[in-house]
């Protein structure tokens, strides 16, 4: 869809033609509290915008500017809205092939010690997930995509119940078909969690489908 919200920032937004219009979750709903212009040829889903800050103000507080945010377009191009400026980046060379984004979530600060930036989790329309590293070094910005993640599926639902029953009856792992072991799901959203204790990871992700946790 073309509408999404961030309850922590207190904002919802709508993609209208080549504009990103922001509105407060509470308060007057018109006019928008901020508007950001998008590239004229870009196709954007509302859920493919991740806010990094709330709405700010221009010089001397006289005008509202949109929040600092990252948007990933249907062709995987990336746009960064940074303190009232728009920075357009090409599709990362490392972006997974033949994938289109479905949603975007800010997960953690960029791990590079000499850069400011953010790590985002991108969910694809085919149900995959990958990391997108966006950083600023001086006046320059770049975006680097990681590979699609391997996903460990929780044994829930009817398929998981049958697998547990078969194991309890002594069925070996080799007797379980590949289709049973690797269900095909379409991930609808992802919740970012702290990394496990003792892990050197930046974060963990709980991926949520209508019926399956991963």
């Amino acid at each position: 869809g073309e509408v999404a919200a961030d309850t922590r920032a207190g904002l919802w937004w709508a993609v209208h033609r080549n504009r990103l219009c922001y509105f407060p979750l509470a308060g007057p709903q018109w006019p928008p509290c901020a508007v950001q212009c998008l590239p004229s040829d870009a196709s954007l889903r509302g859920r493919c915008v991740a806010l990094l800050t709330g709405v700010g103000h221009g010089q001397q507080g006289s005008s509202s500017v949109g929040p600092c945010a990252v948007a990933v377009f249907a062709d995987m191009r990336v746009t960064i809205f940074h303190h009232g400026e728009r920075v357009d980046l090409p599709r990362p060379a490392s972006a997974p092939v033949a994938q289109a984004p479905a949603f975007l979530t800010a997960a953690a600060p960029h791990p590079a010690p000499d850069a400011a930036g953010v790590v985002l989790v991108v969910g694809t329309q085919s149900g995959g997930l990958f990391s997108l590293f966006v950083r600023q070094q001086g006046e320059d910005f770049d975006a680097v995509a990681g590979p699609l993640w391997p996903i460990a599926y929780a044994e829930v639902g009817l398929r998981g119940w049958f697998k547990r029953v078969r194991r309890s009856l002594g069925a070996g792992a080799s007797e379980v078909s590949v289709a049973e072991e690797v269900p095909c799901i379409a991930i609808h959203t992802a919740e970012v969690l702290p990394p496990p204790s003792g892990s050197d990871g930046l974060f963990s992700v709980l991926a949520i489908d209508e019926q399956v946790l991963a």
Side-chain angles (χ1 to χ4, degrees):
E2 297 185 350
V3 175
D6 187 326
T7 55
R8 291 171 296 183
L11 294 171
W12 69 274
W13 56 91
V15 180
H16 179 63
R17 296 180 180 173
N18 67 329
R19 287 180 170 84
L20 195 53
C21 302
Y22 294 94
F23 305 86
L25 287 175
Q29 296 297 294
W30 192 262
C33 60
V35 176
Q36 293 169 332
C37 292
L38 303 170
S40 59
D41 61 342
S43 174
L44 178 66
R45 291 186 168 204
R47 295 185 67 208
C48 291
V49 177
L51 303 192
L52 308 182
T53 68
V55 171
H57 297 280
Q59 292 181 352
Q60 300 178 349
S62 59
S63 60
S64 295
V65 297
C68 292
V70 178
V72 177
F73 301 110
D75 57 4
M76 290 290 190
R77 284 182 292 164
V78 177
T79 281
I80 303 162
F81 295 100
H82 180 68
H83 299 303
E85 301 293 331
R86 191 185 86 198
V87 179
D88 298 327
L89 300 177
R91 172 191 174 100
S94 54
V97 177
Q99 299 290 329
F103 64 85
L104 187 63
T105 302
H110 198 287
D114 59 342
V118 64
V119 183
L120 303 124
V121 175
V122 182
T124 71
Q125 294 181 29
S126 63
L129 295 171
F130 67 92
S131 300
L132 182 67
F133 296 80
V134 176
R135 67 176 178 174
Q136 178 187 9
Q137 289 185 301
E139 298 298 319
D140 298 325
F141 292 82
D142 64 34
V144 177
L148 288 170
W149 297 355
I151 299 176
Y153 295 92
E155 291 187 2
V156 297
L158 190 60
R159 179 186 283 108
W161 182 80
F162 275 118
K163 287 171 66 177
R164 291 192 294 273
V165 168
R166 292 186 65 179
R167 281 200 297 271
S168 70
L169 296 175
S174 61
E175 298 179 44
V176 181
S177 70
V178 172
E180 289 177 297
E181 286 291 351
V182 186
C184 180
I185 68 171
I187 295 170
H188 288 276
T189 189
E191 292 293 329
V192 176
L193 305 172
S197 178
S199 168
D200 59 356
L202 297 174
F203 54 86
S204 299
V205 169
L206 178 66
I208 304 171
D209 189 311
E210 293 178 350
Q211 299 181 356
V212 180
L213 299 180

